[in-house]
């Protein structure tokens, strides 16, 4: 039966809310994860491009946009992560808390690592690093990306522990994670690969807005880079997904390929096809086109939702939730959902208003710069 059909209404309701809010959180987090990895690569291997006036990769528009926006997107990811964190504690209370305790020091370091990463993002964005040696700049960027990879590792292992209740005694006694490295790495690779596809879809719209303000701008280099990152990320996602399925237990494979999850898996594959088709068409052009970006973004959304629903369908199939149905029903009776929706709308509106103010400031700055250039006398 298709997930979450067949479950009691309160359980299904919270599961759907969890997946939808988790997907939103993932979209922002993907931007930061893939963006930090790309920025780290540009600083470690700067290179140059003739089409960009011999600019190093780290100074080209794509890397510049990522550096400017990653601190804000990390804030958005953390804010958007509150809702799924709340819902997962309601639905998987026993499994989630047990996994947290069994991870012990690893789990306790997640918040400090995120705090360090947050400040490092501002350091990477600042002009202070311009005078530093290249090796030191690269080290800071790599350390920043490493923080986000570590947080992803902790959440991946948390998920694996939560669906492996039979291994809890062993983990408690030994303190070791009884999972093959390939099991953890394949699941991490799914999310890291997918994060590049999500990031490129978002940053393409940001470059598109810059292109609208500068109609003569040639973005052929950025388009080639974005499409290559997308193709590579989707290839990693697909290969790692197959590896994860084949390496998993028989019950997990049955859950993935069963009626409960397979339609969502098919949805994610359709999203991958849309992204590939959109970038193939966009790759032939020197300017970003709104229609192709819409196709690409729709594909990225389908892939993100498809994988998120597949992941949750598998977990709900492997975890016995029957003992928690009563708690879910009790939670559904507690007032406050209307307040949650009201504040969700208010916070979204405030964030949108702040973005509008920043955008207006940028437009005024660019307009003043253009007027200044036009008023400057030119001498032959």
């Amino acid at each position: 039966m298709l997930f979450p059909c067949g479950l009691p209404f309160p359980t299904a309701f919270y599961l759907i809310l969890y997946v939808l809010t988790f997907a939103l959180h993932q979209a922002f987090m993907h931007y930061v994860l893939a963006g930090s990895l790309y920025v780290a690569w540009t600083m470690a291997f700067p290179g140059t491009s003739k089409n960009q006036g011999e600019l190093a990769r780290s100074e080209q528009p794509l890397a510049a946009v990522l550096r400017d926006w990653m601190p804000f997107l990390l804030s958005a990811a953390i804010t958007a992560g509150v809702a799924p964190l709340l819902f997962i504690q309601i639905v998987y209370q026993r499994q989630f808390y047990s996994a947290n305790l069994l991870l012990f020091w690893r789990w306790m370091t997640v918040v400090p690592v995120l705090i360090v990463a947050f400040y490092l993002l501002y350091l990477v964005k600042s002009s202070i690093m311009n005078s530093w040696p290249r090796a030191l700049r690269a080290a800071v960027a790599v350390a920043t990306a490493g923080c986000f990879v570590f947080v992803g590792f902790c959440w991946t292992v948390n998920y694996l522990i939560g669906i492996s209740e039979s291994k809890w005694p062993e983990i408690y006694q030994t303190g070791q994670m009884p999972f093959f490295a390939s099991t953890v790495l394949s699941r991490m690779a799914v999310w890291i690969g997918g994060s590049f596809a999500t990031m490129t879809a978002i940053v393409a719209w940001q470059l598109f807005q810059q292109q609208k303000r500068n109609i003569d701008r040639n973005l052929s280099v950025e388009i080639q880079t974005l499409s290559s990152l997308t193709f590579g990320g989707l290839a990693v996602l697909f290969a790692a997904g197959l590896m994860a399925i084949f390496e998993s237990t028989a019950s997990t494979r049955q859950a993935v390929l069963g009626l409960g999850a397979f339609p969502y898996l098919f949805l994610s594959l359709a999203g991958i096809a849309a992204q590939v088709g959109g970038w193939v068409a966009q790759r032939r052009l020197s300017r970003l086109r709104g229609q192709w970006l819409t196709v690409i973004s729709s594909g990225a959304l389908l892939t993100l939702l498809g994988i998120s629903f597949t992941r949750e369908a598998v977990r709900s199939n492997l975890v016995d939730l029957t003992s928690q149905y009563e708690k879910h029903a009790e939670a559904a009776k507690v007032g406050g959902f209307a307040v949650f929706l009201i504040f969700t709308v208010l916070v979204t509106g405030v964030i949108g208003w702040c973005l509008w103010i920043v955008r207006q400031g940028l437009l005024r700055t660019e307009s003043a710069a253009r007027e200044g250039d036009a008023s400057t006398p030119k001498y032959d």
Side-chain angles (χ1 to χ4, degrees):
M1 188 176 295
L2 182 65
F3 170 83
C5 300
L7 296 172
F9 176 76
T11 303
F13 176 71
Y14 282 123
L15 277 170
I16 291 173
L17 282 179
Y18 168 67
V19 174
L20 293 178
T21 55
F22 176 70
L24 177 63
H25 162 72
Q26 284 291 303
F28 296 138
M29 201 64 232
H30 282 184
Y31 186 100
V32 178
L33 173 60
S36 64
L37 287 169
Y38 177 76
V39 169
W41 179 73
T42 63
M43 288 192 173
F45 306 98
T48 58
S49 171
K50 291 183 179 179
N51 292 340
Q52 295 289 356
E54 301 295 344
L55 275 178
R57 290 192 189 99
S58 58
E59 300 303 321
Q60 291 173 16
L62 175 55
V65 168
L66 288 170
R67 285 199 309 274
D68 284 344
W69 281 91
M70 280 193 295
F72 172 80
L73 267 295
L74 178 58
S75 300
I78 293 172
T79 303
V82 173
L85 186 60
L86 169 65
F87 295 132
I88 196 175
Q89 291 176 77
I90 294 174
V91 180
Y92 300 108
Q93 185 183 75
R94 182 168 178 269
Q95 289 77 17
F96 182 66
Y97 288 144
S98 297
N100 295 350
L101 293 171
L102 291 171
L103 271 171
F104 190 41
W105 66 266
R106 302 171 185 86
W107 194 248
M108 294 175 68
T109 59
V110 167
V111 172
V113 167
L114 277 176
I115 292 174
V116 171
F118 188 75
Y119 285 105
L120 286 177
L121 282 179
Y122 276 103
L123 181 59
V124 170
K125 177 182 177 178
S126 70
S127 58
I128 297 175
M129 288 178 53
N130 292 340
S131 59
W132 293 6
R134 193 188 83 183
L136 185 55
R137 296 200 304 270
V140 171
V142 170
T144 306
C147 288
F148 295 117
V149 172
F150 173 77
V151 172
F153 163 80
C154 290
W155 276 102
T156 299
V157 177
N158 183 289
Y159 175 87
L160 289 172
I161 293 175
I163 63 174
S164 307
E165 188 170 345
S166 62
K167 297 181 179 179
W168 290 357
E170 179 185 349
I171 298 173
Y172 179 76
Q173 291 172 4
T174 65
Q176 303 297 318
M177 299 298 110
F179 308 112
F180 292 114
S182 57
T183 301
V184 178
L185 292 177
S186 62
R187 283 160 174 78
M188 286 187 63
V190 168
W191 291 108
I192 292 176
S195 70
F196 277 92
T198 308
M199 179 272 286
T200 55
I202 297 173
V203 80
W205 281 109
Q206 294 177 304
L207 291 171
F208 179 71
Q209 292 301 316
Q210 291 186 3
Q211 176 185 274
K212 288 171 64 176
R213 299 195 296 269
N214 184 357
I215 60 175
D216 296 326
R217 190 169 194 174
N218 187 315
L219 292 174
S220 57
V221 173
E222 280 68 35
I223 292 172
Q224 297 295 316
T225 302
L226 289 172
S227 59
S228 297
L229 289 173
T230 303
F231 297 152
L234 291 177
V236 170
L237 184 156
F238 188 78
L242 288 177
M243 181 178 176
I245 291 173
F246 287 123
E247 281 199 343
S248 60
T249 62
S251 56
T252 301
R253 284 196 298 273
Q254 184 178 0
V256 172
L257 302 177
L259 182 59
F262 187 75
Y264 296 117
L265 190 61
F266 180 80
L267 186 69
S268 63
L269 293 175
I272 290 174
Q275 291 178 81
V276 171
W279 278 116
V280 167
Q282 181 62 82
R283 191 179 174 92
R284 300 170 181 171
L285 307 172
S286 61
R287 293 175 57 80
L288 292 165
R289 302 292 184 186
Q291 62 268 33
W292 293 121
L293 294 187
T294 300
V295 171
I296 292 165
S297 302
S298 300
L301 179 61
L302 287 178
T303 302
L304 188 58
L305 287 174
I307 293 177
S308 297
F309 270 101
T310 300
R311 175 179 181 267
E312 218 48 46
V314 171
R315 172 153 55 179
S316 66
N317 186 273
L318 297 176
V319 171
D320 182 15
L321 290 176
T322 55
S323 62
Q324 301 180 60
Y325 287 165
E326 186 176 345
K327 292 182 180 179
H328 300 162
E330 291 176 0
K333 296 177 183 177
V334 177
F337 185 69
V339 177
F340 167 76
L341 289 179
I342 291 171
F343 276 93
T344 298
V345 173
L346 288 175
V347 171
T348 303
V350 170
I351 293 174
W353 180 54
C354 292
L355 289 174
W356 182 83
I357 291 175
V358 172
R359 185 172 186 272
Q360 294 304 307
L362 290 174
L363 290 175
R364 286 193 296 269
T365 301
E366 291 178 358
S367 177
R370 285 195 296 269
E371 290 176 1
D373 290 341
S375 62
T376 301
K378 303 294 190 296
Y379 301 99
D380 294 328

